[in-house]
Amino acid sequence: RVLKLIGQEASRARMLVGWRTPIPTTSKTMDEGGKGPAMNYIYQNVGVSAELMVNLVGQGRIMLDGQIEISGAREGPPVGAGGEKAPLIGTFQQSLRVIVADGKKLRIAEAPDPEGGTVSLDIEATVLP
């Protein structure tokens, strides 16, 4: 998959590509009505997230400074009496400060995929006219 992120000189470029995964949780206490534990959901972003500062450093080179996060979900063990399964979220985070040459690819992140293999993120920066 190819994703495009466009940023201006001396600006912060942000990207979030993925989905929000509901994670079931059960409370351990009784509610005010005397009912047992309740099922609640929290939501976690899953996919690729990047926040990078973009600066031109001359001669067709671009400095990228910021954070990259790659996360994936897989089925976890049952939660609570209903047997609903909570996803397990695996997350790889990386801080980076790199200089990319105009038109050249650079692999900036690679993490194991919970389903097998790897997930990687390459950047190919281009200085637009």
Side-chain angles (χ1 to χ4, degrees), residues 60-62 100-106 123-127:
R61 297 179 312 149
I62 303 159
V100 182
D102 185 17
K104 303 285 184 183
K105 280 189 181 178
L106 175 66
I123 284 185
E124 181 179 344
T126 302
V127 177

Side-chain angles (χ1 to χ4, degrees), residues 24-80:
T25 61
T26 55
S27 62
K28 300 205 183 243
T29 60
M30 298 249 191
D31 66 11
E32 292 176 15
K35 293 183 182 178
M39 180 70 70
N40 296 305
Y41 293 88
I42 56 172
Y43 289 83
Q44 166 101 23
N45 289 335
V46 177
V48 177
S49 174
E51 186 169 328
L52 302 170
M53 189 69 176
V54 179
N55 286 299
L56 297 177
V57 292
Q59 300 172 342
R61 297 179 312 149
I62 303 159
M63 178 180 282
L64 302 172
D65 187 6
Q67 308 287 323
I68 301 283
E69 180 178 295
I70 303 172
S71 56
R74 61 187 170 95
E75 190 173 80
V79 174

Side-chain angles (χ1 to χ4, degrees), residues 89-101:
I89 309 292
T91 300
F92 171 82
Q93 296 175 322
Q94 179 174 335
S95 294
L96 63 105
R97 184 177 183 132
V98 297
I99 294 177
V100 182

